[in-house]
Amino acid sequence: MRLTIERLRMLVLASAVLLLGALAVFLVIARWRGSLNRRDIPRRLGIDVSEEANGVTYTQARGGRTLFKLHAAKVVQLRKGNALLHDVRIELYGVDGHRVDRIEGAEFEYNQQSGIAKAAGAVEITLLRPGEALAIAPKAAPAAKQVGKPLVTVAQTAASGEVHVQTSGLVFDQKSGVATTIEKVNFVMTQGRGSAVGATFDSQHGELVLDHAVELTARRGAWPVELHADHAEFERGDQICRLRQATAEYNGGKASAGAATILFRTDGSAQRLNAEGGFTLATANGGRLTAPAGMLDFDEHNQPRHGRLQNGVTMDGLRAGAASGEEEKMHGTAPAADLDFTRQGQLRHAHMEGGVAMVSEERSHEAGGEQWERRAWRSPVADVEFHQAGKNHMAPSVIKGAGGVVVQSESRRGNGPITPSRLAADRLTAQLGARAALSTVVGLGNASMEQTTATGARQTTSGERLEVHFVPASDGRPGAKDGLGGGAQIRSAVIQGHVVLLEQPAARSGAEPEPPMRATAGKAEYESSGEWLHLSQSPRVDDGELALTANRIDISQVSGDAFAHGDVKATWIGPAKAPGSAQAGAGSVLGGRGPAHVIAAEAHLRQSAGDATFRGQARIWQQGNSVSAPVIVLNRTKETLEARSSNAAQPVRAVMMNETGAEERKPAAPEAAGTGEMPPVIRLRGGELRYSAAERKVVMRGGTLGPVEAQTSMATSYSQQVELILLPPGNHAGKNGSAAQVDRMIAQGRVTMISRGRRGAGERLVYANQTGAYVLTGTAAQPPRLTDPARGTVTGEALIFNSRDDSVSIEGGGQETRTETTTPR
């Protein structure tokens, strides 16, 4: 709604013009009273005798100056002291001796005994320059030139021109000084024309009453002004004008009051307007402002300076575009409002308190169907700053709220669902741009923003400071409309200070609800281009399965993907399993049951695929098992892990527990030293690694980096591929089954094995945790062979290395040979 005070100012100015014309009639009568009070007039007109006289003229002078001149075409002396004057013309003169006023009537009757004069018919009064002070400036000298006082200028203009008045049934009581008429009074002046039905003027007390049907038509610039009132009163002594059921219409707008009281200064300028019994301002474009009571103060130039509306202020606005099918409604309420104006009388500031509510609703039709949006502002206190948006038009530019501000919005596109959003803060400032569309919103203290993302996720962001920038209404983008955020699209947003973001993924049909995502940071930035959310200053993201920290985290609100940059640290707890299941509450990343930890330089989390890619000296570990590589991909949905490298200086490395963790191992007895006890870990080195929790298998390939290296405390092997088969979780895998344990290791493809001075070669090497034996086999064409520094080279179908007693067995030709070998350690 476009607010303007011009209608209210018109009510005051029109009231002054109305009183100027109406009071002129009775001011002349008041001066006439001095003429009728002269008891020798009837005698001088020959009225003491019952006779007729034609062409009688009487002139009253004092000090050589003419006061008035009375001319009657015929005077008839009646019985009982009455006299009839026919075709009367009375001319009254000013202090300079020039004629000022003229009263003309077909017939006057005067009773000298009762002091009552009656006009039997119509009376016409012409005022050139009233000798008495005007209604709007009772103590001003009309002939004096006064600069810069608009209402006085109005008086001077009327005084220098003519005011024509017509009425009938005029009765003047000489003793009481009261002039009355129950007939219609019409007056015409330079400023316009007006009328009233019934009037009373008390010349002794300076009180004027226009009984009812008060009307005035005037002009202000190119626009007509119409004033209507049921009743009007004016007290010259106290400089007060009272209007009842007054309405002023101007340029398509209207100002009305059930009861209006206007206080004037001695120079004729308006000082204050008090309105009671319902006060309304209506604009041509559908705006409406109402209050049960109001007050407005004016300066000496009749410009409003301050106003107050109270006892329940209501604002309504309506804007419709027939061509585009757009419609916008606005409704606001507040218990009270204070208004401040510029020196030019333009509305500058409005202060509302006691619980402010503003609601806007907009509908439009676009290619995608009907667009609907509803936005509501609520705050205990609100301040609105205005700026000039056109000639005689002020539009809101800044809205400030305090004490806890909430701005809620609901929108719908076509037949889609209703999408809610919410802004809140202890203090909120909204900057309005072109066409009063939202430009910037700044919230301080407990600031929060709620919205629904493109994927249907419900997102809430809170912090100490919130700053939102909206798409300008002038750029033509869909959704950029007029009004308090009507259709406004967010271009960017920044939230700072203890930022907390909660995101609840959209529910999927037939699927269990996903856990919410929670993020914290010192600063969060949102940009509509691509719909990205940037978290910085120690950000942390936790979705119930994965907790992630980094120097900066970028989240796409379109895909739900996240990118982490710099000093990335992540902890994966894994999906919650059903109570009592084998992996309740644990994630099997590397065969373990506890949380898995990751460090890297960067990370990319894809929501649709359910995987996370870590780059830059990445390392992941779970209990005693770990993997390091330039790139590690963790798929949380499939519970798989992949690691790869193409740089020989940074190969993929894996460490897998081969028994209970080192902290649970018992020291070996001195006599058992050197007996070849079971190795605690297996270390792998290669170019590619893949782990599957479902298969509980680790596969390492050399890739472009050459053979895979597998190292235990007993032997080191080189091959094209190594598989580690893990035992299922259970007590055999350590205390409470918490540590993963290798069941078998299988090396394949050009296998070379080195163990304590021995060197074996073959095609396949199998290590069994249960027996502690390494079995090396080859092909029929190339059987395995072992080179021993002490015994030379041996071969067979299978070479078996026993890690527990450091013996070597050779199988071949259906026979088995056991060789005891002792080598220096």
Side-chain angles (χ1 to χ4, degrees), residues 668-678 714 756 802-807 825:
E671 63 273 10
T675 60
E677 62 184 60
M678 188 169 51
M714 174 67 184
R756 298 177 180 178
N802 193 326
S803 62
R804 295 179 179 175
D805 58 9
D806 200 21
S807 63
R825 299 190 179 185

Side-chain angles (χ1 to χ4, degrees), residues 332-525:
T333 59
D338 289 292
L339 310 176
D340 289 316
F341 303 87
T342 65
R343 295 182 64 88
Q344 292 74 34
Q346 303 287 2
L347 183 61
R348 178 183 63 84
H349 176 263
H351 173 79
M352 295 170 283
E353 58 186 22
V356 182
M358 290 180 282
V359 180
S360 66
E361 184 173 343
E362 179 180 335
R363 295 181 186 273
S364 62
H365 294 274
E366 299 178 3
E370 184 183 65
Q371 316 295 310
W372 172 84
E373 181 154 4
R374 182 179 184 272
R375 194 177 294 266
W377 169 298
R378 286 180 172 80
S379 64
V381 178
D383 290 272
V384 183
E385 302 287 343
F386 293 85
H387 74 289
Q388 191 160 2
K391 187 176 181 181
N392 298 325
H393 167 57
M394 303 298 288
S397 59
V398 179
I399 302 177
K400 297 181 180 180
V405 186
V406 177
V407 180
Q408 292 180 304
S409 176
E410 294 179 329
S411 62
R412 182 172 58 198
R413 302 293 180 261
N415 296 324
I418 294 178
T419 303
S421 62
R422 183 178 185 270
L423 289 173
D426 292 343
R427 292 178 293 162
L428 199 68
T429 300
Q431 298 277 350
L432 305 181
R435 296 156 53 187
L438 269 179
S439 174
T440 304
V441 171
V442 177
L444 299 176
N446 297 311
S448 66
M449 179 173 65
E450 298 179 10
Q451 60 182 338
T452 301
T453 66
T455 60
R458 183 68 176 170
Q459 189 178 88
T460 302
T461 309
S462 62
E464 291 301 315
R465 186 181 189 276
L466 166 69
E467 182 172 339
V468 183
H469 296 270
F470 294 87
V471 176
S474 58
D475 71 353
R477 287 183 54 174
K481 306 295 183 183
D482 290 0
L484 180 60
Q489 289 184 338
I490 294 177
R491 182 176 60 186
S492 63
V494 178
I495 302 179
Q496 293 178 286
H498 303 95
V499 178
V500 177
L501 184 146
L502 296 175
E503 181 175 297
Q504 178 64 56
R508 300 179 182 179
S509 178
E512 292 291 331
E514 298 183 38
M517 186 269 287
R518 186 179 189 273
T520 59
K523 182 178 181 180
E525 301 174 80

Side-chain angles (χ1 to χ4, degrees), residues 117-123 167-172 179-184 199:
K118 298 180 180 179
V123 177
T167 188
S168 61
L170 190 66
V171 177
F172 179 71
T180 61
T181 179
I182 61 173
E183 304 298 331
K184 187 173 184 179

Side-chain angles (χ1 to χ4, degrees), residues 215-239:
E215 296 184 359
L216 171 70
T217 300
R219 298 192 71 83
R220 178 168 174 82
W223 300 100
V225 179
E226 295 186 2
L227 174 68
H228 307 274
D230 287 354
H231 186 80
E233 298 178 4
F234 182 73
E235 297 178 9
R236 294 187 60 203
D238 295 333
Q239 307 289 306

